Amino acid sequence: MDYATLKLIWWLLIGVLLIGFAVTDGFDMGATALLPFLGRNDDERRIIVNTVGATWEGNQVWFVTAGGAMFAAWPLVYAASFSGFYFAMLLVLFALFFRPVGFDYRSKRSDPRWRAGWDWGLFIGGFVPALVFGVAFGNLLQGVPFQFDTDLRVTYYGSFWALLNPFALLCGLVSLSMLVAHGAAFIRIKTDGPIARRASVALRAATLVAIALFALAGVLVATRVGGFHITQPAPTDTVANPLLKQVAAGSGLWLANYAEYPWMIAAPVAGFAGGLFALLLASTRREKTTFVCTGLMIVGVILTAGFSMFPFIMPSSLDPRSSLTVWDATSSRMTLQVMLAAVVVFLPIVLLYTGWVYRVMRGKITRQALDENRHSMY
């Protein structure tokens, strides 16, 4: 397999890992972000906790795997992103700390203040990462203020507060709203009665917000947000070096791929279609179909960002030549080959095991189940 094909395959694989994380761990984060609002008493909140309590740890493995794959396949991206997004990543990490301790310690005491405190901790563990991941994508679309010197040493010139710009926050709200909708759809599958009815209301509201903000973000990308385009590729017979290419920056350039590859329009269409179908089904008893639709919305939104930026992974607003792409940010050919062999062996095992877990854990969480399993359920 030639080197260029390997680079493209790893762009696709990391995209699959990120989508897998968003679709699986996304409903965990969405459900816990809704926890203080959908549960009106302790039993209801405990039911919501247990809808995701059995699977959240396995779902989060997608996030860890995506981070490890990015480190191994795109070392320059890993180095530059940790320079630019270091405090944002720490914020996500500290927020995620609330999840394991929240799940494990919430029901250890019957004190209402104790349980309410952990409910809000679980809320933070779902709300903050969902928002920050979208903010990160918003900054990538605008370009990140970093550059490489002639020795390929990276320097970042921004700050944490600069990441919280209006367009990035808009993207953060897109991410948050679509994951909340996905979490509400999952709660509808796993519960019944008042909780399910409130989840339907939350699903409709979050989906409407996600569709509207996704459309607004698309308009801004087309008219206001600067994009990037390679005007002169680096020579193919040289060692990968980001500084050997020429890059133009300007408004509307993120739409160029849709003109060159018209099939890519399927991504935003899927995003809007998934959201609209979820709205139509939110009041019906087709809970699983609704959940598939919110998942389709997430896949469409992420693919829209990925297709728009291709082949860029981390553009530089300070020095466009320093922008990192699929072609000049990857590891060696041997590294990509070895990792690909590992993926071919282990990814099917992971998928089969995940499917088996969800099959075993199927069914609704009820008050009766809580009463019968007081010491084994969260």
Side-chain angles (χ1 to χ4, degrees):
M1 190 175 296
D2 64 273
Y3 197 14
T5 302
L6 280 170
K7 293 177 180 180
L8 183 59
I9 287 174
W10 272 102
W11 178 80
L12 293 170
L13 285 174
I14 291 178
V16 167
L17 291 173
L18 292 175
I19 289 172
F21 165 65
V23 171
T24 57
D25 211 26
F27 69 75
D28 291 347
M29 291 188 287
T32 52
L34 289 169
L35 174 61
F37 310 105
L38 296 189
R40 300 294 172 82
N41 54 55
D42 182 67
D43 279 344
E44 289 185 349
R45 288 190 288 272
R46 194 174 179 193
I47 287 172
I48 295 171
V49 167
N50 280 280
T51 60
V52 297
T55 54
W56 75 270
E57 289 178 290
N59 293 341
Q60 197 159 291
V61 170
W62 287 92
F63 179 50
V64 177
T65 306
M70 190 175 297
F71 170 73
W74 297 339
L76 290 179
V77 174
Y78 196 83
S81 64
F82 263 79
S83 297
F85 299 150
Y86 186 74
F87 289 106
M89 291 179 180
L90 282 180
L91 179 62
V92 169
L93 183 62
F94 289 139
L96 290 175
F97 286 163
F98 283 103
R99 303 185 75 192
V101 290
F103 280 112
D104 287 335
Y105 286 100
R106 182 195 181 277
S107 298
K108 297 297 184 183
R109 296 178 59 187
S110 58
D111 184 353
R113 291 175 298 178
W114 170 270
R115 294 190 173 189
W118 286 118
D119 288 341
W120 284 105
L122 289 170
F123 164 80
I124 292 171
F127 177 91
V128 172
L131 180 69
V132 172
F133 290 140
V135 168
F137 268 97
N139 280 280
L140 289 177
L141 285 165
Q142 296 174 98
V144 183
F146 73 95
Q147 68 177 27
F148 289 98
D149 62 18
T150 54
D151 294 321
L152 293 185
R153 292 175 298 191
V154 65
T155 304
Y156 177 74
Y157 293 91
S159 67
F160 170 76
W161 299 111
L163 296 175
L164 304 179
N165 57 78
F167 179 75
L169 289 173
L170 171 64
C171 293
L173 292 176
V174 172
S175 171
L176 176 63
S177 57
M178 69 182 185
L179 294 186
V180 166
H182 199 44
F186 189 74
I187 291 173
R188 288 182 73 230
I189 294 175
K190 299 291 288 184
T191 64
D192 52 20
I195 300 175
R197 288 194 292 272
R198 292 181 210 126
S200 295
V201 175
L203 169 61
R204 287 193 294 270
T207 303
L208 276 172
V209 171
I211 292 173
L213 295 183
F214 182 43
L216 176 59
V219 171
L220 292 176
V221 166
T223 59
R224 299 285 297 275
V225 176
F228 297 82
H229 179 70
I230 298 176
T231 57
Q232 182 179 334
T236 58
D237 57 347
T238 60
V239 176
N241 183 338
L243 301 178
L244 296 180
K245 63 181 179 297
Q246 297 296 323
V247 176
S251 178
L253 289 179
W254 285 142
L255 301 182
N257 280 342
Y258 296 100
E260 188 171 354
Y261 308 105
W263 58 268
M264 287 186 175
I265 198 68
V269 168
F272 284 115
L276 292 173
F277 280 119
L279 278 176
L280 293 173
L281 297 172
S283 299
T284 70
R285 298 185 63 84
R286 302 179 67 177
E287 295 96 346
K288 292 181 180 179
T289 305
T290 307
F291 180 71
V292 171
C293 290
T294 56
L296 178 63
M297 176 172 61
I298 292 172
V299 172
V301 170
I302 295 176
L303 286 179
T304 299
F307 287 166
S308 298
M309 292 178 60
F310 183 83
F312 290 90
I313 303 170
M314 190 172 179
S316 170
S317 59
L318 189 64
D319 175 22
R321 281 195 318 152
S322 295
S323 298
L324 296 171
T325 73
V326 172
W327 314 121
D328 56 28
T330 54
S331 296
S332 68
R333 179 176 180 175
M334 177 64 72
T335 299
L336 299 183
Q337 285 178 328
V338 172
M339 290 172 56
L340 182 59
V343 168
V344 169
V345 173
F346 291 107
L347 184 59
I349 297 174
V350 171
L351 293 175
L352 288 171
Y353 176 74
T354 301
W356 176 77
V357 167
Y358 279 100
R359 179 172 176 79
V360 171
M361 298 297 177
R362 70 189 184 278
K364 294 185 181 293
I365 306 296
T366 63
R367 238 186 216 97
Q368 181 182 355
L370 284 181
D371 292 337
E372 294 174 353
N373 300 277
R374 282 283 172 184
H375 300 292
S376 59
M377 298 180 74
Y378 287 117

